[in-house]
Amino acid sequence: MNAKQEFKIVGTRPIRPDGLDKVTGRARYGSDLNMQGQIYGHILRSPHAHANIKSIDCSKALAMEGVLAVMTGDDLAEPGNTVLGSGEGAIALKDLIPMVMSQGKVLFHAQAVAAVAATTSALAAEAAAAIEVVYEVLPVVTNCRDALADDAPILHSDRFPDGKPKEPTNLAAHITMQVGEPDAAFEQADVIVERTYSVPMCHQGYIEPHACVAQVDAADRVELWCSTQGHFNVRQYTAGVTGIGLGKIRVTPSEIGGGFGGKTTVYLEPIAVLLANKSGRPVKMVMDRGDVFRATGPAPGAETRVKLGATKDGRLVAADVDCLMDSGAYNGNPAGIPAFMATACYKLTDARSSGRSVYTNKPKIHAYRAPSMPQVTLAFELVMNEVAAELKTDPLEFRLNNAVEEGDVNMMGAPYKRIGLRECLEAARSHPHYQSSVADGAGRGIAAGYWINAGMQSSATLNVSPDGSVSLLTGSPDIGGSRASMAIMGAEVLGIPIESIYPQVVATDAVGHCDVTGGSRTTLATGQAVIQAADELVAELCRRVALEWDVPKDEVMWSDGAAHHGEKSLSFKDLASRASTMGGPLTVSSSLNSTSASPGFGVHICDAEVDKETGRTTITRYTVIQDAGKAIHPTYVEGQMQGGAAQGIGWALNEEYVYNDQGVLENAGFLDYRIPVASDLPFIDTVIVEVPNPLHPYGVKGVGEVPIVPPMPAVAQAVFDSGNIRVMDLPLNPAKVAAAIIEGS
């Protein structure tokens, strides 16, 4: 992309196409669909966090009038060694099935063990309670360090570290990367700082719970409606879990009330399908809020040790990072991110990074915006601040002195193309927030963050109507305004008003394959499919015009929504109205496997004030600066930046999973699991930096992941400075901060 490329529609802020339906209540979310003759499913969940299932007796439930079907883990497929999906959606079936329903062993509290379908939801719950399960209760381990102890209960006797045939342990994976000779490089350092920080599991906190409706017709074809970030994933995962052929499953996504990575898998859908098949009736299932917290995938907790060395002239010379991550009961594979990406923001020719993931008696972790990157960045960025302080240099200038730029090589050996970290740091340095004085009693933190971003598979279809309107079909659920960005890019290519384009997210059999909406890939990759389809449509229109005018097609030019040759022109609307006489319907589809992803960087500045008596932290000012490549719809980009910052602030100050010694989650509800509300936050200022992605026709970079990466260290540093304390274990809740202040006084 030419950095000076001029746009007419890209970069504007049109009203969102789905906005009216949402503000009037017409939008249909996961639990809004009701089918004629539907019944209701309910899941029986384990009261234990670790147990063998000796027997399950469903006879009493089946004998109840109005109960039409029951199921257990025996009704699910045998997992074997099958791996489903690709990219962000890849998962071993043996790690997916037990998160739907256990098969012989329970490994976390509230794990599903059986399910019932009945004519009312109350009856289904009553029938589920009548199912008799005999358990052999086993010892529980909920802490990574305890799980690695020699006397720890082993969760999986058939799994071995790194696949090697040794004694089984609770180590799920261990990944190490090294460049250069870090041990020797530390000897050249004038300043060395080593710290260990920890952060607990937390939940994505989406407001809408998981919900679905399933029906199976007389030909054994499955229809699924659900709240999801990736209905093609739902189709594949449901097929794998149930053993039903992929081609027999059709999935339609509802509107989605939040996901943030937590709705890229299945929990209810295969159960609803099997109950519908057994009962011959549509089955509706909706999780309650407690079960969302207890039995879906949170972000992993982590303990990260970071050692950094620098010379007195402010140059980083060595790094050593070790991150221990809580995978929960099954392999969520969080170890690779800290191993591959811990040092991604800085020039380091001598560095070692290690990631270990550990099995514990908690639900299997799942994605949450930039999965696993906030945890390792917390420690890395706080140690960066300490090194800067030891060197008596400004923490932002220290980062600028060491920031990666085009041509630098990351830990994975890949050189960066055009990236915008330096530009973000420079924008932070000149911003009024950073230029201002810190208020008396307050503290200020700054942190940088990175996410690799993703491309993967996407498809788009354009259907042109005779009146010149265009139906734009994709398979990417809209969780951040992507319908608007798709319409903007399509309108930019076609040169028609955005109001003429109707963007829709359609079922799995109505458009080509689209990978999950996640990894900051949707506007980039699905948008690229839209651009490609629109380019093909323009080429077809020019071909038709060339035939009518009897001129070479390469002499027909397209601009301002019309075909031109000399003094002649035909508008898009004219061509649409004459399509039947100029070659037939105008329908164009495009599919691709995008390789145009470019990493994203951001810088956050936080001012905070700690009440020395209560330990309560007030965020007084917050600024987010991020490279978007090219902001297709700037309002949505700003919303992503503000939303990620708000979630990161919540994780820093209050959010955590609290388990008792029996492995039972004690804060499974929004009254006790404290996410930020509007009154907890100041206005979050945003600065969009645009360093075009050279791999994308419009310069787009993903923006959804990076904003959650810097907040924890930025907030923590501000709290440390304000309270004159240093707390190594987050969150920085009032009780913990107050105790640290008392201890230090």
Side-chain angles (χ1 to χ4, degrees):
M1 172 192 169
N2 184 338
K4 297 182 179 179
Q5 182 174 346
E6 294 184 0
F7 296 101
K8 295 182 178 179
I9 303 175
V10 167
T12 62
R13 302 173 186 253
I15 295 172
R16 59 188 303 159
D18 53 320
L20 189 59
D21 282 347
K22 287 180 175 174
V23 299
T24 59
R26 292 192 182 99
R28 292 169 51 173
Y29 291 86
S31 64
D32 288 335
L33 180 68
N34 292 292
M35 292 184 177
Q36 185 175 5
Q38 78 182 19
I39 57 177
Y40 301 86
H42 191 90
I43 293 173
L44 176 66
R45 299 185 179 277
S46 170
H48 308 292
H50 195 191
N52 289 320
I53 298 175
K54 307 300 289 183
S55 65
I56 302 178
D57 185 353
C58 299
S59 59
K60 290 182 180 178
L62 272 174
M64 297 171 68
E65 185 177 355
V67 172
L68 302 183
V70 298
M71 65 160 290
T72 68
D74 291 341
D75 293 299
L76 304 179
E78 290 291 332
N81 294 313
T82 304
V83 176
L84 302 176
S86 60
E88 282 213 342
I91 187 171
L93 199 54
K94 65 183 179 181
D95 295 314
L96 176 64
I97 287 179
M99 286 301 294
V100 175
M101 187 169 285
S102 61
Q103 292 182 307
K105 190 175 185 181
V106 168
L107 289 179
F108 62 92
H109 176 254
Q111 187 171 4
V113 296
V116 173
T119 51
T120 69
S121 56
L123 177 59
E126 183 183 351
I131 295 173
E132 297 176 350
V133 184
V134 177
Y135 297 96
E136 177 192 7
V137 180
L138 302 172
V140 171
V141 60
T142 59
N143 175 279
C144 286
R145 291 290 177 188
D146 293 342
L148 293 178
D150 291 340
D151 59 349
I154 301 300
L155 273 63
H156 299 279
S157 61
D158 59 343
R159 300 191 187 190
F160 302 89
D162 302 322
K164 297 174 183 177
K166 298 179 181 178
E167 289 297 315
T169 75
N170 289 323
L171 182 67
H174 187 185
I175 300 171
T176 299
M177 302 285 290
Q178 181 170 319
V179 292
E181 297 295 335
D183 294 331
F186 274 114
E187 297 178 3
Q188 309 303 314
D190 298 305
V191 171
I192 296 175
V193 175
E194 183 174 4
R195 292 281 193 183
T196 299
Y197 289 92
S198 65
V199 62
M201 272 187 172
C202 84
H203 198 268
Q204 299 85 351
Y206 37 82
I207 302 302
E208 178 200 25
H210 297 263
C212 69
V213 180
Q215 70 174 0
V216 181
D217 66 17
D220 293 329
R221 297 189 63 85
V222 175
E223 179 84 21
L224 253 177
W225 164 289
C226 60
S227 175
T228 179
Q229 293 177 236
H231 47 305
F232 286 88
N233 270 16
V234 170
R235 182 179 67 168
Q236 185 178 36
Y237 293 172
T238 299
V241 171
T242 63
I244 297 171
L246 189 70
K248 288 192 170 186
I249 302 173
R250 179 179 191 265
V251 184
T252 303
S254 66
E255 290 291 349
I256 184 170
F260 313 110
K263 290 182 180 173
T264 57
T265 187
V266 292
Y267 299 110
L268 300 179
E269 293 84 355
I271 295 173
V273 166
L274 290 174
L275 290 174
N277 193 36
K278 287 190 171 194
S279 66
R281 300 269 289 275
V283 172
K284 182 172 185 174
M285 300 188 74
V286 181
M287 273 195 186
D288 67 28
R289 177 60 56 190
D291 288 342
V292 170
F293 277 110
R294 296 183 192 99
T296 65
E303 178 186 289
T304 306
R305 178 189 58 80
V306 173
K307 179 181 178 182
L308 294 180
T311 56
K312 59 187 176 182
D313 62 354
R315 182 174 60 89
L316 279 175
V317 294
D320 187 5
V321 181
D322 180 58
C323 190
L324 185 65
M325 307 203 87
D326 190 340
S327 186
Y330 304 94
N331 189 12
N333 196 28
I337 298 299
F340 299 149
M341 304 181 194
T343 65
C345 287
Y346 304 108
K347 300 173 186 282
L348 278 160
T349 57
D350 297 277
R352 179 187 303 112
S353 57
S354 173
R356 290 176 291 161
S357 56
V358 180
Y359 294 124
T360 62
N361 290 118
K362 302 175 185 174
K364 184 187 83 65
I365 60 95
H366 209 68
Y368 182 19
R369 292 183 95 146
S372 300
M373 200 65 198
Q375 296 91 317
V376 69
T377 301
L378 166 69
F380 201 100
E381 289 294 295
L382 287 174
V383 174
M384 285 287 290
N385 289 339
E386 282 202 75
V387 173
E390 289 282 338
L391 294 169
K392 295 181 172 55
T393 188
D394 180 86
L396 198 153
E397 295 297 332
F398 181 50
R399 287 171 170 82
L400 265 169
N401 290 342
N402 293 281
V404 289
E405 53 195 330
E406 186 174 5
D408 288 327
V409 178
N410 61 24
M411 286 287 286
M412 294 175 281
Y416 288 114
K417 295 184 170 60
R418 187 75 175 91
I419 55 175
L421 176 57
R422 294 192 65 84
E423 287 81 354
C424 289
L425 288 164
E426 288 164 356
R429 179 173 58 183
S430 61
H431 193 276
H433 186 170
Y434 203 72
Q435 292 290 317
S436 67
S437 299
V438 183
D440 289 343
R444 176 168 293 168
I446 184 167
Y450 161 92
W451 182 248
I452 190 170
N453 289 332
M456 306 195 298
Q457 302 173 96
S458 280
S459 301
T461 294
L462 301 177
N463 294 323
V464 181
S465 299
D467 65 353
S469 60
V470 179
S471 292
L472 193 169
L473 313 181
T474 73
S476 295
D478 183 354
I479 62 173
S482 58
R483 272 178 289 217
S485 62
M486 300 301 132
I488 287 171
M489 287 183 276
E492 185 72 47
V493 175
L494 299 176
I496 63 177
I498 189 173
E499 294 79 12
S500 297
I501 297 183
Y502 177 40
Q504 303 171 65
V505 182
V506 295
T508 49
D509 60 357
V511 71
H513 182 91
C514 282
D515 280 323
V516 64
T517 296
S520 293
R521 62 167 296 277
T522 307
T523 295
L524 178 134
T526 306
Q528 197 169 349
V530 170
I531 294 169
Q532 189 169 289
D535 283 336
E536 291 177 16
L537 177 56
V538 166
E540 173 61 16
L541 293 171
C542 290
R543 185 191 68 81
R544 293 186 180 194
V545 169
L547 286 174
E548 178 160 310
W549 290 344
D550 194 24
V551 297
K553 64 180 180 180
D554 57 358
E555 293 184 9
V556 178
M557 307 304 294
W558 187 268
S559 64
D560 298 323
H564 305 276
H565 184 268
E567 298 298 318
K568 296 181 179 180
S569 67
L570 271 174
S571 70
F572 182 86
K573 196 167 186 177
D574 290 336
L575 291 166
S577 68
R578 296 176 54 193
S580 62
T581 61
M582 293 183 69
L586 287 165
T587 296
V588 178
S589 295
S590 175
S591 294
L592 52 82
N593 196 341
S594 177
T595 57
S596 65
S598 179
F601 294 88
V603 177
H604 291 203
I605 311 167
C606 174
D607 287 5
E609 186 171 353
V610 173
D611 186 307
K612 305 303 189 296
E613 293 185 0
T614 67
R616 182 180 186 272
T617 297
T618 300
I619 307 296
T620 56
R621 190 170 183 181
Y622 203 98
T623 302
V624 180
I625 299 144
Q626 187 170 327
D627 174 25
K630 177 61 186 177
I632 300 299
H633 192 304
T635 300
Y636 287 146
V637 173
E638 291 163 353
Q640 291 284 348
M641 294 161 70
Q642 292 167 328
Q647 290 175 309
I649 291 168
W651 203 350
L653 295 181
N654 290 297
E655 294 186 43
E656 62 176 322
Y657 266 22
V658 179
Y659 283 92
N660 66 19
D661 57 6
Q662 298 302 307
V664 176
L665 184 65
E666 295 192 317
N667 59 333
F670 283 133
L671 285 176
D672 299 310
Y673 183 92
R674 181 77 164 79
I675 65 171
V677 296
S679 59
D680 295 318
L681 301 169
F683 176 79
I684 296 174
D685 193 14
T686 57
V687 178
I688 299 174
V689 173
E690 294 185 316
V691 178
N693 173 6
L695 303 175
H696 190 277
Y698 287 175
V700 171
K701 295 175 184 173
V703 298
E705 316 294 302
V706 172
I708 202 172
V709 179
M712 279 200 286
V715 171
Q717 187 64 54
V719 170
F720 297 166
D721 288 356
S722 175
N724 194 28
I725 58 171
R726 184 168 296 277
V727 179
M728 316 304 287
D729 302 315
L730 271 64
L732 302 170
N733 57 46
K736 196 177 294 183
V737 171
I741 291 172
I742 293 170
E743 184 178 339
S745 61

